[in-house]
């Protein structure tokens, strides 16, 4: 089994596929270039998203092969929404869209105040008529959990019920906070890291995901 469920956090799914874990180790390395960081993040997202979308609803549709007609399985329901948390979440959108090209894309803008570590809100745009859509929030880093928590709260305030959180690296502190506040939101991650440091960075982590993705440091 490549996905581990941790007893303490029943809604956390840690995807441990060897290809994913290898790519994550490359992503973490301080020597990884901006170009490789972006490409690896896309590849990791595809592998995470494969697992995170496993409960999407299905129906059947009569299709014709060159030999006969039959009821074939197809996705049902309204198109899902990919919701990156700006900025670093943008690096996961292409990976998700490559699996679900018809998905809608919303955006939420949040940055952490460097001193308080509290998320500061600056942008929110989701498709009209979103209530019955499944939202896939994406952000490479789940540290204190403040940014993800704020995002989930906003979606729920809009009446959205089906929410999945996809992150690449998570800290126990953030996972504890999200699972307590929103036990109905599954979290998919490639790694549950050791802890946060005093500055709120995930250890061993990969540094500042936004800065590494966009070359802003
Ligand atoms: C980073 C990261 C998450 C957030 C995680 O964003 O991409 O959104 O921090 O931290 P938290 O779980 O403690 O809220 P940052 O605030 O650095 O913004 P940026 O992506 O625009 O650089
Ligand atoms: N945001 C990041 O980009 N990295 C961390 O380790 C924590 C928050």
């Amino acid at each position: 089994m490549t996905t581990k469920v941790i007893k303490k956090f029943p809604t956390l799914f840690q995807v441990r596929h060897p290809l994913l874990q290898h790519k994550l180790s490359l992503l973490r390395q301080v020597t990884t270039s901006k170009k490789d960081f972006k490409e690896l993040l896309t590849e990791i997202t595809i592998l995470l998203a494969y697992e995170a979308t496993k409960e999407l609803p299905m129906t059947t549709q009569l299709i014709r092969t060159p030999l006969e007609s039959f009821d074939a399985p197809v996705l049902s329901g309204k198109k899902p929404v990919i919701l990156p948390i700006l900025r670093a979440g943008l690096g996961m959108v292409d990976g998700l869209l490559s699996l679900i090209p018809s998905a809608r894309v919303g955006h939420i803008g949040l940055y952490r105040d460097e001193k308080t570590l509290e998320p500061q809100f600056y942008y929110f745009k989701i498709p009209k008529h979103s209530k019955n859509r499944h939202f896939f929030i994406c952000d490479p880093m789940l540290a204190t959990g403040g940014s993800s928590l704020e995002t989930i709260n906003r979606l729920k305030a809009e009446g959205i019920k089906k929410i999945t959180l996809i992150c690449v690296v998570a800290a126990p502190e953030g996972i504890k906070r999200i699972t307590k506040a929103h036990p109905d939101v599954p979290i998919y991650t490639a790694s549950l890291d050791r802890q946060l440091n005093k500055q709120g960075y995930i250890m061993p982590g990969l540094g500042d995901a936004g800065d590494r993705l966009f070359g802003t440091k």
Side-chain angles (χ1 to χ4, degrees), residues 8-9 11 112 116-119 142-150 152-153 165 171-183 185 187 196:
K8 199 161 60 157
F9 302 125
T11 52
R112 285 199 319 179
T116 65
L117 301 182
E118 284 302 314
L142 198 159
T144 65
S147 306
S148 297
L149 195 65
E150 171 76 18
I152 297 168
N153 287 343
L165 179 57
E173 293 89 336
I175 292 293
K176 200 169 162 188
R177 203 165 161 200
I178 304 284
T179 52
K180 191 166 176 220
H182 298 290
V185 174
I187 307 168
L196 296 178

Side-chain angles (χ1 to χ4, degrees), residues 35-130:
K35 176 179 178 284
D36 289 347
F37 191 91
K38 182 172 184 289
E39 287 173 7
L40 285 162
L41 184 55
T42 296
E43 291 166 7
I44 287 168
T45 303
I46 293 170
L47 294 166
L48 279 173
Y50 174 77
E51 274 297 292
T53 51
K54 65 177 185 248
E55 306 287 352
L56 281 177
M58 308 272 323
T59 184
T60 56
Q61 185 182 312
L62 189 65
I63 66 156
R64 208 154 53 89
T65 76
L67 301 173
E68 64 173 356
S69 295
F70 84 118
D71 285 319
V74 291
L75 292 170
S76 72
K78 290 180 87 68
K79 304 277 184 288
V81 182
I82 299 163
L83 185 70
I85 302 180
L86 305 181
R87 295 174 298 160
L90 289 174
M92 299 175 74
V93 174
D94 285 351
L96 273 151
L97 277 177
S98 70
L99 286 189
I100 326 171
S102 61
R104 307 314 191 213
V105 181
H107 293 89
I108 182 163
L110 296 168
Y111 69 91
R112 285 199 319 179
D113 179 282
E114 279 179 20
K115 287 206 179 85
T116 65
L117 301 182
E118 284 302 314
Q120 308 297 308
F121 173 82
Y122 60 90
Y123 189 75
F124 186 64
K125 179 87 179 175
I126 60 172
K128 275 184 185 166
H129 313 300
S130 273

